Every structure is written in C-alpha cells, then in structure tokens.
Amino acid sequence: MTPRIPRPRDELRVFTQYGARQTLDAIRLNANEWPEATPAGTYLTQADLDRVVLNRYPGAAAEIRQILSKQYGVQPDQLFFGNGSNDTIMQLFLVFGGHGRATLLFQPTYNLHGRFTVMAGGTLVNEMVGLPYRVEKERALAAAARVRPDIAAFCTPNNPTGTLIDDDVILAVAERHPETLVLVDEAYSDIPGRTLLPALPHHPNVVISKTFSKVHAAAGLRFGILVMHPALAEQMRQVAVSFNVGVLTYALAAKIARDEDAVRDRVAFVRRERERVFDGMRKVHGIEPFPSEANFILFRAGGDTAAAHQRFLQHGVAIRDMSPWTGCEGCLRVSIGTREENDRFLGALAAVFAATPA
Ligand SMILES: Cc1ncc(COP(=O)(O)O)c(C=O)c1O
C-alpha cells in the first residue's frame, strides 16, 4: 500500500524525471555534451585548490565576473551566475513569471522553458512552428500581440531543431513589447559564432543565457550565466536564491573561461564532424535529417521512435527519442561525438534503417 505522503500541485504530477538516461555500456550521444573527458585536474592544480577557502560563503565571484564581462563586452554587474543554465533560467522564471503570468514559446523548443513556467506557477502558451523550424517575424509578432506574454523565450540555435532564429525576429518582439522579458537561450551559439550580446544596450528587456556545458566541455561543473541590463540583474539579485554557486565552481569556471583556444578548437571540430555526420545521414533511406548549426542533429524517422531508440542501444549507441517533446513526434536526435563515436552512430543508423546507395 502506498503510504500517505505529501503530493506536488496537480499540474506538476504529469512531469517525469528530466534528463537523458545514462546507459553504462553505450556511447552517449543523447545529451549534447562534449564527448571528450575534461579532468578537473587539468585546470586546478594543488596550489589553485589551496587558494579556495571553504569556511566562508561565496563572495561576489570577482575573478570570473571580470573575465566574462570582458569576453561578453558588458559590465560586471550585468552577470547573474547559477548552477548550470537550468538553474539560472529557473530562477529567472521564478522572479519574472509565476501566478497570473504567461510564457510564450515557439515549439518545438527546449523542453525546460515550458517546465520552468509551470513550476513557477505560470501559464504556458505554445505557438506551434513545427518542422522544419523557421520562426518568421510576422508570426512571432502576431503571437506576441495575441498573448501579451510576461516572458517570451527563444532558443538560438534551437534545441532540438539545431536552427538559428534571425536576430531581427527576436529584437522586433523585444522592441514592440518592452514589458515582456525576452529570454534568448544561447547554449549553443558559440558553434555558429552568433550572439545577441551587442544588442543588449538597446534592449533592456532582453536576457541572454549562456552555459559552460557545451563547447566549454564542462556539463558536470554546472555553471550557467545570464547577461542582462543592470536594473534587471539587480532585481534578480534581490529576489533569487543567494549563494547558489560554490567557490570551487567559481574557481574552475575562471580557469575554463580563460581557455579560449580550446573553445575555438572544439567549435572547428564539431562543425566539421557535424557536416560529415549530416552527409552520412542524408544517404540513409527512410529518415529526414534537419540541417543544424549546433552540436546535434534532429531527424525524422516516423513510426515507433521508442523501438528505434532501443535498436540503437542494441548497437551500443544511446541517442535521444524526441517523440515525447511537443512538436517532435516521430523524431530522434543525435549529438555529435568523437570521430569514432560518430562512425559508430553512422554504422548503427545504416543497420537500424535501410541504407540506399548515394
Ligand atoms: C537550449 C538549452 N538550454 C539550456 C540547457 C541546460 O544546460 P545547463 O543547465 O547544463 O547549463 C540545455 C542543455 O541541454 C539546452 O539545450
């Protein structure tokens, strides 16, 4: 018999645990991580560790604040840090969303923007763009005029479609609705080398989200950043959870942020491999891969994607079944791995679906 225990609010009881399932003996191409190991010891020496003191609560994170404000071309007080961008974005939604407030999303897009809206107690309004994913300006403006959202979220390149959204689409919404908080999730934007950071001074309602989980190869560190107008950042600091990032994370993040050459190399590598994988996928009969600007490729296979996902696992390759995501019925998503992992994926793909000659 189930014991009588406290229950979450009704709208939260439909949620299932988020995150790619970790399969021990399969190669992991299911979470858009960086595939090569990043040992913490390559960044933090014993002497560095000795400078990190644990008895005090974290301070203002001056070092990482300084480095990133320079890289982003903003003032240090425009940055808000968190335990990964999931943490920063959730806190943003707690502060600016919530009861009686609406979030507008252009679907299919990053699942957690919708989840955080509901967790905060707000209302989610989905504008269904579909696949191929192209957010047109007229469409975005019409949806914003209809919904008058408190938050409008854009993800560019978009997860899971891999596509960019034109800057002027996002900025048109921001300009027309100065009281709407416009979130731009740039988790993958280093890969195409595009960013809306230069638009921040002219658009005080735009908030840009960054993460060290992708081409900074540090998903395990959990470090995310929001960049915004100083007045918005001040409101975040007044309300959000304090001391949400530890001193060890700040110390490591500062080292990783300085390693800009590594990021450049990773970006070059992932672009090359993504094109190779995409070309390989296009030769496979019965699937439709969507061109991507990120480190993953979405493809439509139709039919039973859970069964296809299972067959990939039998070949030792874990990819992501995207069917449960809004607007992604019949789709799977593969992350770009090492060269060898990508070869394994292409081999499994040919075995799972019927290959046709080029
Ligand atoms: C678009 C987007 N935003 C945010 C995240 C969360 O990243 P993290 O919490 O690791 O910074 C992800 C992770 O896959 C993502 O795809």
Side-chain angles (χ1 to χ4, degrees), residues 27-29 32-38 213-215 217-218 266 269-270 273 295 335-342:
I27 56 170
R28 284 164 56 171
L29 301 179
N32 303 343
E33 300 151 322
W34 190 255
E36 273 153 352
T38 321
S213 296
K214 308 302 173 185
V215 289
R266 291 189 199 109
F269 170 82
V270 83
E273 276 299 293
N295 67 337
S335 308
I336 301 302
T338 62
R339 211 181 147 77
E340 296 70 37
E341 288 172 341
N342 298 333

Side-chain angles (χ1 to χ4, degrees), residues 284-351:
V284 175
H285 184 66
I287 66 162
E288 180 188 4
F290 296 100
S292 168
E293 299 277 352
N295 67 337
F296 53 83
I297 297 172
L298 182 74
F299 62 102
R300 185 148 48 197
D304 185 348
T305 51
H309 175 259
Q310 214 39 49
R311 286 202 297 280
F312 273 98
L313 278 182
Q314 284 158 9
H315 287 276
V317 180
I319 61 170
R320 192 77 169 258
D321 174 12
M322 297 306 294
S323 280
W325 284 36
T326 305
C328 289
E329 296 73 21
C331 292
L332 298 136
R333 190 194 67 195
V334 61
S335 308
I336 301 302
T338 62
R339 211 181 147 77
E340 296 70 37
E341 288 172 341
N342 298 333
D343 286 339
R344 283 274 300 278
F345 163 70
L346 288 170
L349 187 73

